[in-house]
């Protein structure tokens, strides 16, 4: 608990000071052009037991292709952590032709040093130190077909290598067949999107069903399939408050263990806990103090099931496969007219899992 309090105190200082300065500047010059600038810059900070403390930034350019389309963003981001890890990437998220078409492009490279623990026997875990080398490119295009429904296609090319940093870690990776993968896949998507705002919705819902087929013919080492479902709904209440609910699932068929599903809840490290399938639910309360500041509270629960790393069949009926999370945070609107926010979260999971995050945008 002392560790959590230290992180929370440091987080409040890190987040509040620069935001307070920005707010003071806004008060001094309410006619400043900063809020209407097409440029956006924000810090990125995270801290957890595995990746330690990471500090970075995002720089983006915003553009409206027409009056009916949501704002598009083009940018780059990067960070460096105290574990001597880094990630860097470029992205484009565009809406055009009166929001009839949408296109997303992302390319990321990284070198990440992890300190994981994996279960060897029932109730026993062993520490594993790994270096993950990542190079991933992703493209998704969708076309509006009827009302709020879109259909589209997506492509991903991923080169992901995991190396042990000592002989013991290497032997554990061999035991679980966790040495990464080269995967190139294509997929289809169906998306329903009635949200009133793409950046920070206060009403509406979003439903996406999509898949990836990874095949050796495309350049993948193994042929397997992954199916994903993502549903979120937003309920406005009070004076600008929003309650958001999310249900998400990922299911694999014939996937190698390195491509198993993981936990995508704040407070956990993606890739530490793996199984064939994963499902989660999150509830996120966004309390508006005023047009600029807000407070948040959230809770969630994830389940990993199907075959685990040891080849055992697992289910959500076993509490060992259930991973709860809860947390609190705050938001600051850096582009109020576009409902763009910087959000800080302190999340706690079971065991020794926790994390602090300062990111651009809402988590969903």
């Amino acid at each position: 608990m002392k560790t959590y309090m230290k992180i929370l105190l440091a987080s409040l200082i890190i987040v509040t000071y620069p935001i307070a300065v920005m707010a003071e500047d806004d008060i001094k010059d309410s006619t400043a052009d900063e809020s209407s600038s097409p440029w956006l810059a924000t810090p990125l900070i995270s801290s957890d037991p595995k990746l330690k403390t990471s500090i970075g930034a995002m720089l983006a350019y915003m553009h409206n292709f027409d009056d009916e389309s949501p704002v598009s963003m083009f940018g780059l981001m990067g960070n460096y952590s105290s574990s001597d890890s880094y990630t860097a990437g470029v992205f484009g998220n565009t809406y055009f032709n009166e929001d009839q078409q949408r296109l997303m492009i992302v390319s990321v490279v990284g070198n990440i040093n992890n300190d994981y623990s994996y279960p060897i026997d029932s109730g026993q875990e062993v520490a594993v130190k790994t270096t993950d080398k990542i190079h991933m490119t992703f493209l998704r295009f969708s076309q509006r077909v009827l009302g709020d429904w879109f259909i589209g296609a997506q492509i991903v090319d991923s080169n992901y290598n995991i190396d042990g940093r000592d002989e013991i870690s290497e032997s554990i990776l061999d035991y679980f067949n966790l040495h990464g993968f080269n995967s190139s896949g294509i997929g289809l998507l169906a998306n329903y999107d009635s949200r009133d705002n793409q950046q920070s919705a206060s009403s509406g819902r979003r439903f996406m069903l999509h898949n990836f087929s990874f095949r050796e013919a495309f350049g993948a080492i193994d042929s397997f399939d992954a199916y994903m479902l993502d549903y979120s709904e937003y309920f406005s209440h009070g004076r600008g408050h929003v309650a958001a609910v999310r249900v998400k699932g990922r299911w694999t068929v014939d996937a190698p263990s390195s491509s198993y599903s993981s936990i995508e809840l704040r407070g956990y490290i993606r890739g530490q806990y793996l199984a064939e399938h994963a499902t989660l639910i999150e509830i996120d309360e966004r309390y508006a103090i005023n047009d600029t500041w807000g407070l948040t509270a959230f809770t969630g629960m994830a389940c990993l099931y199907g075959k685990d790393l040891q080849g055992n069949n697992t289910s959500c009926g076993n509490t060992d496969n259930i991973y709860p999370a809860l947390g609190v945070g705050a938001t600051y609107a850096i582009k109020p007219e576009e409902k763009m926010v910087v959000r800080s979260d302190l999340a706690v999971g079971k065991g020794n899992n926790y994390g602090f995050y300062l990111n651009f945008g809402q988590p969903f």
Side-chain angles (χ1 to χ4, degrees), residues 148 192-197 201-207 231-236 242-245:
D148 293 319
Y192 177 85
D193 190 354
S194 64
R195 293 174 294 174
D196 63 335
N197 184 277
S202 57
S203 64
R205 61 180 58 91
R206 177 177 180 265
F207 169 85
Y231 175 82
S232 55
E233 189 158 359
Y234 306 85
F235 306 91
S236 180
V242 177
V245 180

Side-chain angles (χ1 to χ4, degrees), residues 171-326:
S171 65
I172 299 301
L173 294 177
D174 288 338
Y175 177 79
F176 287 123
N177 191 27
L178 288 172
H179 284 285
F181 55 88
N182 294 336
S183 295
S184 297
I186 61 174
L188 302 175
L189 67 93
N191 181 27
Y192 177 85
D193 190 354
S194 64
R195 293 174 294 174
D196 63 335
N197 184 277
Q198 303 300 315
Q199 303 298 329
S200 187
S202 57
S203 64
R205 61 180 58 91
R206 177 177 180 265
F207 169 85
M208 179 177 288
L209 181 65
H210 58 121
N211 79 298
F212 278 114
S213 293
F214 299 95
R215 294 293 181 268
E216 295 179 24
F218 305 151
I221 293 180
D222 297 287
S223 295
F224 67 97
D225 295 282
Y227 302 91
M228 288 75 68
L229 181 148
D230 195 346
Y231 175 82
S232 55
E233 189 158 359
Y234 306 85
F235 306 91
S236 180
H237 62 94
R239 295 186 175 183
H241 315 319
V242 177
V245 180
R246 183 187 201 185
V247 178
K248 188 172 184 178
R250 183 178 186 269
W251 302 269
T252 64
V253 178
D254 297 327
S257 53
S258 294
S259 299
Y260 275 5
S261 302
S262 184
I263 301 171
E264 298 184 33
L265 284 175
R266 287 160 284 175
Y268 294 91
I269 304 300
R270 185 177 297 187
Q272 180 173 5
Y273 306 101
L274 296 168
E276 282 186 302
H277 318 306
T279 303
L280 68 84
I281 182 171
E282 288 184 89
I283 301 173
D284 201 74
E285 173 63 24
R286 303 163 187 177
Y287 183 90
I289 298 175
N290 51 42
D291 292 339
T292 302
W293 289 92
L295 297 175
T296 62
F298 58 91
T299 185
M301 184 174 296
C303 174
L304 296 178
Y305 54 102
K307 288 185 179 179
D308 62 14
L309 291 178
Q310 296 174 294
N312 301 318
N313 289 317
T314 61
S315 70
C316 297
N318 186 341
T319 57
D320 290 341
N321 304 320
I322 302 296
Y323 299 86
L326 57 87

Side-chain angles (χ1 to χ4, degrees), residues 36 85 106 119 198 203 334 337:
S36 60
S85 305
V106 181
Q198 303 300 315
S203 64
I334 54 175
E337 70 279 7

